[in-house]
Amino acid sequence: MAGKGTGGGGGLGDLVKAESMIQLAIALPLGCVIGWLLGAALDKHFHQNWMGIVGILLGAVGGFIQIFTTAQKFLKRGE
């Protein structure tokens, strides 16, 4: 019982890992949705039909950047 929580990361370490994995799973879809919503709003405002697609693409790029940044931090810690 004395070693409980000191080896293997413990409960808090597991929660931090789970939060990082959830962040990775949400980054790309959320970036695409936010980009699409902003692009659709700009489409309506400027009476265009292409800004929603550009918003989706920019959101996807932002999501990938977030995924790579989080993965690099996760791998740098050696976990």
Side-chain angles (χ1 to χ4, degrees):
M1 287 282 252
K4 186 176 182 180
T6 58
L12 186 59
D14 290 339
L15 286 176
V16 170
K17 289 178 190 177
E19 184 271 333
S20 295
M21 294 299 121
I22 290 171
Q23 186 177 4
L24 288 175
I26 291 176
L28 185 60
L30 192 61
C32 290
V33 168
I34 290 172
W36 173 64
L37 290 174
L38 290 175
L42 290 174
D43 275 340
K44 284 187 178 183
H45 181 71
F46 292 114
H47 305 291
Q48 300 291 320
N49 294 323
W50 56 271
M51 292 182 185
I53 296 169
V54 172
I56 291 171
L57 294 174
L58 290 175
V61 168
F64 277 121
I65 290 171
Q66 180 66 29
I67 288 170
F68 291 138
T69 304
T70 304
Q72 281 180 340
K73 284 192 277 187
F74 192 68
L75 292 174
K76 193 178 284 188
R77 291 191 307 214
E79 297 177 354

